Amino acid sequence: QLLLAESGGGLVQPGGSLRLSCTSSRLTLKNYVIGWFRRAPGKEREGVSCIRSDDNRIYYADSVKGRSAISRDNTNNTVYLQMRSLRPEDTAVYYCAATLRDSYCPIRPDYDYDYWGQGTQVTVSS
């Protein structure tokens, strides 16, 4: 079900930064594990980062570790993914997703979250 909405994607030069936002008018995000995923053309979906709901522990895929930061803004019911030092290989459609299963963070390839957004395109190119 598409109960989440992403924003903040766009075209950015290599080395640049973006902040993606994930919000919902139906779900209270602080009660959910929120994951960020991406799918690049011709590639499998990749779990990029997640934040748990029980203790707010955070995990990052090796591909973005050190260049990304996930955070919650509970006042605005929003989860952010700040990305910096962007590379052409970061080009993809980025999705946020939610699940009540805290065990689904860190993300494994066979984990399927329950609620999704429509995605936002991130293109890294000069």
Side-chain angles (χ1 to χ4, degrees):
Q1 298 188 54
L2 296 179
L3 298 186
L4 304 176
E6 305 91 342
S7 61
L11 173 64
V12 62
Q13 292 187 340
S17 300
L18 279 177
R19 188 177 74 166
L20 305 182
S21 300
C22 174
T23 190
S24 176
S25 61
R26 298 279 300 275
L27 305 178
T28 301
L29 298 187
K30 67 179 182 179
N31 297 330
Y32 291 82
V33 174
I34 302 299
W36 282 96
F37 298 77
R38 67 185 181 186
R39 188 187 293 274
K43 294 189 176 181
E44 296 289 320
R45 187 182 70 192
E46 178 187 15
V48 173
S49 180
C50 57
I51 182 168
R52 296 170 61 119
S53 61
D54 53 357
D55 56 9
N56 279 323
R57 271 187 292 173
I58 290 169
Y59 296 91
Y60 299 100
D62 288 343
S63 56
V64 301
K65 194 175 294 182
R67 302 188 294 121
S68 298
I70 189 172
S71 61
R72 294 184 185 273
D73 179 352
N74 294 333
T75 300
N76 292 304
N77 199 38
T78 301
V79 174
Y80 299 105
L81 181 67
Q82 177 75 48
M83 300 189 295
R84 59 180 176 86
S85 301
L86 285 163
R87 306 165 180 166
E89 54 264 39
D90 294 317
T91 296
V93 179
Y94 284 72
Y95 302 87
C96 65
T99 180
L100 289 171
R101 304 174 182 89
D102 278 292
S103 62
Y104 276 29
C105 177
I107 299 169
R108 297 171 65 92
D110 58 333
Y111 289 168
D112 199 12
Y113 282 37
D114 301 304
Y115 308 105
W116 291 81
Q118 80 288 348
T120 186
Q121 176 70 47
V122 172
T123 302
V124 184
S125 175
S126 55

